[in-house]
Amino acid sequence: MNCSTRHASSSTYPRQVIFSGIQPTGIPHLGNYFGALQQWVKIQNGATSTTDVIFSIVDLHAMTLPYDPAQLRLWKRQTLAALLAVGLDPQRSIIFFQSSVPAHSELMWVLSCTASVGYLSRMTQWKSKLALSDNVALSDPDAKMKLKLALFSYPVLQAADILLYRASHVPVGYDQAQHLEFAREIAKSFNKAHGHFFTEPQTVMSPAKRIMSLKNPRLKMSKSHEDPRSRILLDDSSDDIRMKIKAALTDSMDGVSYDMVERPGISNLLTLMAYMDERQRSVEQIASEGQALSLRAFKEQVAETIIKGIANIKEKYDYFIDTPQRHYLQDVAVLGHGKARLKADETMRQVREIIGTDDI
């Protein structure tokens, strides 16, 4: 990592630090898996000894909208079990809960001192979370009534999550690219005020095509969709998967073909099948070979491919989430917390020295 200042030597940190986070919203769905988690495993397995790979379950971000504490506690456990099930290794990656490292909140406050309210007000995430139009202003009555400070300022916390570990690269999906740009801006603002310290992290965009809702293929697959049949979870049973694929919205045209504009439902199923195809065929190859299939026969093929594709993940998830493994999940969390806190505390020691809040 390139960071040469009077505050820190470049030898303090590895040349490369890869950081990403996931909100604990329960068991991930296929959109989460192909859009992020599968890439995380590839990054971990391809990392060299000079690379730190850090993945956080960002539970503080899960508090920006009304929530049930008991539900959050369960979702944290489910998310950790899922990360292990897809292949993350606590011996090769740092896996931890954001709330277990207090420095995230401290650095957020420091960065808030140079964060632009105007910039935050133009960001779209808080508007979409509150079902407001993209061009709504802070002065809008609906915004004033619905918006809470945590939701408005959570991009600052997200920037703190990244900068706390001096991340050089951040894998993100398309929806989070705007927030990473904000993290770079806030790093620039801090460096301008206090001298160069934070490296501006680079975006690593997921190469995966976006997985769409099974019930509305114009929208991405999401847990915010009220119909549970809109998504396939990594622990879904074979019967559940068959039911959801059978009920997936397609069209009345004959045959199978790939066309995201005219046939988004069929194209989404082709994408899912291609990601899990043992023969590693492209969507175009699968569509060509299956063009004479009825939609019923095609959906049956898709369902069986998915069932086979996630069988190993489901088996591992069921093992990790089982009550006897509760202590193992706790051990993984403690291990990750210890490693993350060492790095975070070192960053904050230097930040306090820079801003003048260190010991007198």
Side-chain angles (χ1 to χ4, degrees):
M1 180 176 178
N2 298 322
C3 182
S4 57
T5 76
R6 65 183 180 84
H7 305 296
S9 67
S10 59
S11 61
T12 304
Y13 294 91
R15 184 177 68 254
Q16 192 174 84
V17 180
I18 301 172
F19 175 92
S20 197
I22 182 172
Q23 281 201 42
T25 56
I27 303 159
H29 53 65
L30 289 184
N32 302 136
Y33 178 64
F34 291 121
L37 303 185
Q38 187 180 61
Q39 184 188 23
W40 289 10
V41 175
K42 291 179 180 178
I43 289 171
Q44 167 195 268
N45 294 343
T48 66
S49 59
T50 59
T51 300
D52 270 353
V53 183
I54 306 173
F55 299 118
S56 179
I57 298 172
V58 288
D59 46 347
L60 295 178
H61 288 292
M63 298 168 59
T64 57
L65 293 173
Y67 71 98
D68 176 0
Q71 184 74 74
L72 176 59
R73 195 172 294 112
L74 173 62
W75 282 351
K76 289 172 61 174
R77 184 166 164 246
Q78 290 175 330
T79 304
L80 179 55
L83 295 187
L84 299 178
V86 301
L88 290 187
D89 182 348
Q91 300 301 325
R92 303 181 67 179
S93 297
I94 298 175
I95 308 167
F96 72 103
F97 292 113
Q98 174 195 35
S99 61
S100 71
V101 181
H104 285 259
S105 301
E106 182 180 0
L107 184 56
M108 178 196 178
W109 179 255
V110 173
L111 297 177
S112 295
C113 296
T114 56
S116 166
V117 171
Y119 198 122
L120 288 169
S121 69
R122 293 190 296 273
M123 300 187 80
T124 58
Q125 196 80 349
W126 64 267
K127 300 171 186 177
S128 64
K129 291 281 188 181
L130 298 178
L132 300 172
S133 65
D134 287 349
N135 59 359
V136 72
L138 284 176
S139 57
D140 183 90
D142 279 347
K144 285 183 177 180
M145 179 177 66
K146 297 180 179 179
L147 183 61
K148 307 300 181 186
L149 178 58
L151 181 59
F152 180 70
S153 62
Y154 93 91
V156 185
L157 178 58
Q158 193 171 55
D161 298 336
I162 295 165
L163 299 179
L164 186 59
Y165 300 97
R166 315 290 286 282
S168 57
H169 297 80
V170 182
V172 294
Y174 174 80
D175 293 344
Q176 293 296 317
Q178 185 185 49
H179 291 156
L180 189 54
E181 182 58 36
F182 178 77
R184 283 193 286 268
E185 286 298 315
I186 210 167
K188 288 179 185 177
S189 297
F190 183 92
N191 292 341
K192 183 177 181 181
H194 301 288
H196 183 75
F197 180 71
F198 288 119
T199 297
E200 297 168 29
Q202 298 179 36
T203 302
V204 181
M205 292 296 295
S206 171
K209 293 180 180 178
R210 182 180 292 188
I211 302 300
M212 311 308 284
S213 164
L214 297 178
K215 301 305 293 181
N216 185 348
R218 304 281 183 189
L219 301 176
K220 71 173 185 176
M221 187 174 286
S222 172
K223 290 182 183 174
S224 62
H225 197 295
E226 61 184 13
D227 189 343
R229 297 177 300 169
S230 68
R231 53 196 174 270
I232 293 176
L233 305 180
L234 294 181
D235 78 329
D236 272 349
S237 69
S238 298
D239 287 344
D240 283 341
I241 293 172
R242 292 188 185 102
M243 178 272 293
K244 290 178 179 181
I245 295 299
K246 183 178 181 180
L249 180 66
T250 50
D251 54 57
S252 58
M253 297 172 63
D254 294 331
V256 176
S257 59
Y258 184 80
D259 185 335
M260 281 301 297
V261 176
E262 297 297 329
R263 309 192 73 185
I266 291 292
S267 299
N268 189 43
L269 296 181
L270 281 165
T271 299
L272 283 172
M273 190 169 178
Y275 277 139
M276 295 192 163
D277 185 48
E278 288 184 324
R279 294 160 55 192
Q280 298 183 332
R281 293 172 295 171
S282 68
V283 290
E284 291 80 10
Q285 289 173 316
I286 295 173
S288 177
E289 293 177 21
Q291 59 184 329
L293 289 174
S294 67
L295 291 186
R296 178 177 178 177
F298 170 63
K299 285 184 173 183
E300 288 174 352
Q301 283 192 7
V302 174
E304 296 309 312
T305 300
I306 293 173
I307 290 167
K308 194 170 185 179
I310 67 170
N312 188 47
I313 295 174
K314 174 174 168 49
E315 181 181 355
K316 290 181 178 179
Y317 175 81
D318 289 343
Y319 171 77
F320 287 125
I321 203 65
D322 198 24
T323 301
Q325 300 306 316
R326 189 182 191 94
H327 292 300
Y328 177 70
L329 292 181
Q330 292 171 342
D331 290 344
V332 169
V334 169
L335 176 66
H337 160 254
K339 292 179 178 179
R341 186 156 187 171
L342 280 175
K343 296 181 180 300
D345 286 351
E346 173 58 23
T347 296
M348 288 312 303
R349 182 191 66 78
Q350 296 178 65
V351 168
R352 293 185 200 106
E353 179 184 340
I354 292 168
I355 66 175
T357 59
D358 54 333
D359 293 337
I360 60 174

